[in-house]
Amino acid sequence: MTAELTRGQNHPLPRARLEIRVSAGTPVVAGATLGDENGEVHGVERVAHPGTPTLPGLEVSRQAAADHRLAVDLDAVPDAVHRVSVLLALPVGGQGPARFGAVAAPFVAVTGLDGDEVASYTLTGLEAESAVVALELYRRQGAWKVRAVGQGYAGGLAELFADQNLLEAHRLAGDIQDAVARGLARSVPAPSPRTPDGDRSRPAAASAHDPGTAAVQGATGGVSPTPQTDPQGPSARQTPAAPGPHAAPQPYPATTEPSAATGGGPIDYSHPRRQHGAPPPPPPAAPPTAPGQPAPPVAGDATGWSMEERLYNQVWGMFEDLARTTAAYRSAVDFADSRMEKELDQVLSDPRNRIGGQGDAARDAARARHEQLVTQAGEALDRDVAQLAAEAEVIEPALPAAYARWDSPVWHAYRVPMEIPMAVRLGDLHLSEAERIRIPMLVRLPLERGLWIDSGRAASLDGSYTDPHETRRLGLETAVAHAARLLAVYPAGEFTVHVVDPAGSGTQPLAPLVQSGVLDAPPALGAAGTADVLARLTQRVDLVQMALRGGAPDALPPGLDTSQQLLIVNEFPHGFDDRAVNQLRYLADEGPAVGVHLMLVADREDSAGYGPLLDPLWRSLLRLTPVADDHLADPWVGHAWTYEPSLVPPGSQVLRQVLGQVAAARRSWPR
């Protein structure tokens, strides 16, 4: 039975290996400190946080997230540690809330590896605090207990660490926030909540009632200023008790034997079942299966009001499933390694085992147990991966154009759409444990962040592309492919692309956009052309912002283009003076909210002369690469996923054909 704690209450812990699950409703930083009998922390090396996520017996998340799972092995913490304090903090300097009083009360649960809750605590009563010690696991007379603390700090992490007598409190707090900012910058954007009524019709539909309102909605992308969380969305699966189309898999227990590590409960290695129950129309019914066998995968087997939304949720469900099942496998292997190391140390610590057959037998037994645990975890992973691979094979052919690869047959029947899709595919993601599964990287529309196509030498995973001219060409070709896809998935006249090529070096890669006629103007050249484009887009952002703030949408100039705008900048910062750089930073920060988006093709080393001035710019953009690279992280566990861009197959005419249709539709669209 779960012990529901109130502040100050404690409860014994029946086992050493535990999980601490956090649900906050908004992205928070999760960490832990290792303290002595008095709760004092002796040095930054006793703090687990996103920048240093692993300590002996403790592992925390590598980035801020609304839900966390912290792994604890109390048998592995140093003997000098008597308190493990679990802390939560709000990220600093982002768009989120600055105090816990502005969000729902965080919920923290201590569970066994089988998911059974031992104790839980809801942190109520927080107001101005931005950091809080949620729980502490403490050692008393050789036994471990958990206590609900709920001690908040308005001064954030710096004040929290100072209260634990950590001498470098302020420096560590700054380092943690920097690590969080870097983690958010490399994280694949999690699905945005949809509006409460589920309406995703294009903003121009409002023009029948109020043309001025429709213009502002078109300029801002139709984003609701106060979106509501959709309980049916993929993020709802992160709560293990909540049923969903893709329930989050439980971590693999380290052993199938009843013991202190598992609590003696049954262990379920099965992959989570796919459940139906989406709003009408329902997905196709699966054929009957033999008893005890999982149902065959079905495309659209997720919640949603349309097939497009169900496929989107299903892809994100697979993404989460693979992230969590891989995390469970890695955790099980890490436990097997640490257990074998501990057993071998025990054998060597006994002088009687250092010589003779008794020691050899003990070492062989430890290695055999290690191999058994790793094999068991691998079998469970293989079973889950096989089911996900089968699901991927069914989903890929059913994806619409916005979600499909360029080599999909769906592009041969392409027609310019009448509505904006939910998302667009920017590439594929995969993990080394499941090479055969490619997860489509679907990013919600309108884009919430700009894109940075890294054309530097470090962009290649294997280092095979070392010629800077080759990597820059590949980078611009990748940008063109992404821009062409965005043009193709938006209705005619609702997406406009501008190109800045100060040095004029991108003539050949830009040819598909220029020759097809989808650009309103040729690429801007030189410093003067760059300044002109930046001035026009900056003015557009200012005008729309003033209209929104003043509640006067009809005050927009009659000739203002209210479509979504994409600015492609090649070889940044070439051709940019200080004023242009500041304008670009302004567009990166303020543009997405009013429908102006950036796509930079750049090598960060080229802008090294600006120093830290441009660090916020790079962090605000989603970094993509023209070749395979393992720089992106998932929003749940923080694995490093290998990203592969969505490129047009060599020799294919699909890009020319699609852009030709887009250009024809734009010419016939009334201006």
Side-chain angles (χ1 to χ4, degrees), residues 33-407:
T33 60
L34 303 180
D36 60 14
E37 299 94 327
N38 301 317
E40 295 185 3
V41 179
H42 301 283
V44 296
E45 65 277 3
R46 291 293 180 91
V47 182
H49 57 83
T52 307
T54 304
L55 294 179
L58 182 63
E59 184 173 3
V60 303
S61 303
R62 289 166 170 77
Q63 60 195 44
D67 296 270
H68 293 271
R69 294 188 181 187
L70 283 65
V72 180
D73 184 356
L74 296 174
D75 286 341
V77 300
D79 294 337
V81 172
H82 289 260
R83 292 190 192 181
V84 179
S85 299
V86 178
L87 57 93
L88 307 176
L90 294 169
V92 174
Q95 301 293 325
R99 58 187 185 90
F100 277 109
V103 301
F107 174 80
V108 184
V110 180
T111 75
L113 296 183
D114 53 5
D116 289 342
E117 286 190 6
V118 177
S120 63
Y121 174 43
T122 301
L123 284 76
T124 58
L126 297 176
E127 290 295 339
E129 298 87 345
S130 59
V132 59
V133 176
L135 298 172
E136 68 175 11
L137 313 180
Y138 64 99
R139 195 194 320 244
R140 183 67 54 82
Q141 296 178 348
W144 286 91
K145 295 184 178 182
V146 57
R147 177 186 291 120
V149 179
Q151 176 63 53
Y153 298 86
L157 287 173
E159 184 181 354
L160 186 155
F161 292 142
D163 193 40
Q164 296 184 350
N165 290 332
L166 187 61
L167 297 179
E168 302 174 84
H170 286 82
R171 184 181 67 81
L172 178 59
D175 291 345
I176 291 175
Q177 295 297 351
D178 287 344
V180 171
R182 291 193 300 270
L184 291 175
R186 63 187 289 268
S187 176
V188 178
S192 302
R194 83 178 173 219
T195 55
D197 59 0
D199 183 19
R200 296 187 321 279
S201 58
R202 59 191 177 122
S207 59
H209 305 288
D210 187 348
T213 302
V216 173
Q217 286 181 336
T220 61
V223 180
S224 172
T226 56
Q228 302 294 321
T229 300
D230 176 19
Q232 300 285 352
S235 60
R237 292 188 304 274
Q238 297 175 8
T239 303
H246 288 262
Q250 303 296 329
Y252 301 131
T255 175
T256 56
E257 302 171 5
S259 66
T262 63
I267 295 172
D268 181 13
Y269 280 106
S270 63
H271 192 273
R273 301 291 185 224
R274 303 322 193 216
Q275 300 179 7
H276 297 281
T289 58
Q293 295 295 321
V298 177
D301 190 7
T303 57
W305 294 99
S306 65
M307 177 58 80
E308 177 196 7
E309 186 174 4
R310 291 200 297 268
L311 287 169
Y312 172 84
N313 287 340
Q314 189 172 12
V315 167
W316 268 89
M318 293 174 57
F319 188 13
E320 182 178 2
D321 281 354
L322 185 55
R324 294 194 184 279
T325 201
T326 303
Y329 168 75
R330 292 178 180 179
S331 177
V333 172
D334 288 344
F335 170 73
D337 292 342
S338 62
R339 175 174 170 174
M340 182 179 67
E341 183 178 351
K342 186 175 182 179
E343 290 177 347
L344 292 177
D345 288 343
Q346 290 175 347
V347 171
L348 293 175
S349 64
D350 188 347
R352 295 172 298 179
N353 294 331
R354 294 177 185 173
I355 57 175
Q358 187 174 355
D360 293 338
R363 283 188 286 270
D364 291 342
R367 295 188 180 98
R369 283 191 291 268
H370 173 271
E371 184 177 355
Q372 179 186 6
L373 294 176
V374 172
T375 300
Q376 190 176 33
E379 290 173 351
L381 174 68
D382 292 343
R383 191 157 53 246
D384 286 358
V385 167
Q387 184 170 352
L388 285 169
E391 190 171 7
E393 292 177 359
V394 172
I395 290 177
E396 189 66 49
L399 295 178
Y403 301 175
R405 293 194 299 254
W406 280 112
D407 59 358

Side-chain angles (χ1 to χ4, degrees), residues 520-534:
D520 287 350
L525 303 176
T530 299
D532 178 65
V533 174
L534 291 175

Side-chain angles (χ1 to χ4, degrees), residues 355-502:
I355 57 175
Q358 187 174 355
D360 293 338
R363 283 188 286 270
D364 291 342
R367 295 188 180 98
R369 283 191 291 268
H370 173 271
E371 184 177 355
Q372 179 186 6
L373 294 176
V374 172
T375 300
Q376 190 176 33
E379 290 173 351
L381 174 68
D382 292 343
R383 191 157 53 246
D384 286 358
V385 167
Q387 184 170 352
L388 285 169
E391 190 171 7
E393 292 177 359
V394 172
I395 290 177
E396 189 66 49
L399 295 178
Y403 301 175
R405 293 194 299 254
W406 280 112
D407 59 358
S408 170
V410 71
W411 288 106
H412 297 295
Y414 169 77
R415 295 294 181 269
V416 177
M418 297 300 293
E419 291 187 354
I420 301 172
M422 285 187 64
V424 66
R425 185 174 188 161
L426 295 182
D428 294 333
L429 299 167
H430 70 271
L431 292 171
S432 58
E433 288 86 352
E435 285 283 352
R436 54 178 171 160
I437 300 178
R438 295 296 190 269
I439 302 293
M441 181 178 163
L442 303 183
V443 177
R444 284 295 295 262
L445 294 177
L447 296 173
E448 297 177 356
R449 297 170 62 185
L451 304 177
W452 165 30
I453 313 300
D454 187 355
S455 59
R457 297 183 181 182
S460 174
L461 183 64
D462 57 4
S464 58
Y465 290 94
T466 57
D467 182 1
H469 298 291
E470 178 69 7
T471 55
R472 287 171 180 168
R473 181 189 64 80
L474 290 172
L476 190 53
E477 287 181 353
T478 303
V480 169
H482 291 326
R485 181 181 288 268
L486 288 166
L487 282 164
V489 302
Y490 269 84
E494 293 195 21
F495 197 85
T496 302
V497 175
H498 310 268
V499 179
V500 169
D501 185 20

